[in-house]
Amino acid sequence: VAAGALTLTCGGTNLITGGDSGSGVTTLSPTFAAPLPAGACVLSVLAASVDDADLADPPAHPVADHLVHFTVDAAPALTGTVPAEGAIAGAGTVASFTFDENVADLGGAISLACGGAPVAGSVTGSGTATLTFTPSSPLSEGASCTATALASAIGDSDAADPPDHPAADTVRNFAVDSA
C-alpha cells in the first residue's frame, strides 16, 4: 500500500498524520489529530495506491476507490438566552436557554437563584431546542438573579454520542424590575 492510499477529510485537507501505508500488510491503522471536527467526513481508500502481493496479476488493484462517509457529532451549543446577560426583567419572567439542536433536561438542567436563595420552579422544553425554567411564583422586585444551565444535566436528542452535553455551564445574571 503506497503512502497516501488513505485520506480522511472533514470539509478540508487530509487529516491523516501517519499509518497510511505499508508493505505486505492486510490492515492499516491510520493516525490523525483528534478530535475530528464536527460535520461530514469521508475516509477514502484509493484503489490505484493499493497493490496485492500475489503473482497472479492482473488485477493487482481493487476495482474502484472505497469511500466511507460518516458524520461527527457536535455538542449542543448555546445560541441564545432570555433574559439576556445584565437585562432588567419583570417579576413574571422565565429563564430560557436555546441551543443549536434539540436537547433534553436530564434532571435539574436549569436553576434560578435570586438574592442568593434558590427559586422553586419547573423546567419544560425537553425534546426541543429551548429549555425554560418557570418560577413557581413571581420574582421579588429589585432582586438580582442568576439563571444557570448545568451542562451535565443537559443532553442532546440525537443517538450519535459522545458528545452529549454542552461544553460548559452557562450563567446569566439579570435584575428584576422595581415597578
Side-chain angles (χ1 to χ4, degrees), residues 16 86 110 161 170 179:
I16 292 179
I110 300 175
D161 294 312
T170 300

Side-chain angles (χ1 to χ4, degrees), residues 10-65:
C10 298
T13 60
N14 185 12
L15 301 173
I16 292 179
T17 58
D20 65 337
S21 63
S23 178
V25 297
T26 57
T27 303
L28 294 176
S29 298
T31 57
F32 55 89
L36 292 176
C41 296
V42 179
L43 175 66
S44 304
V45 180
L46 307 176
S49 296
V50 177
D51 192 359
D52 64 18
D54 66 36
L55 299 176
D57 290 323
H61 306 286
V63 176
D65 293 346

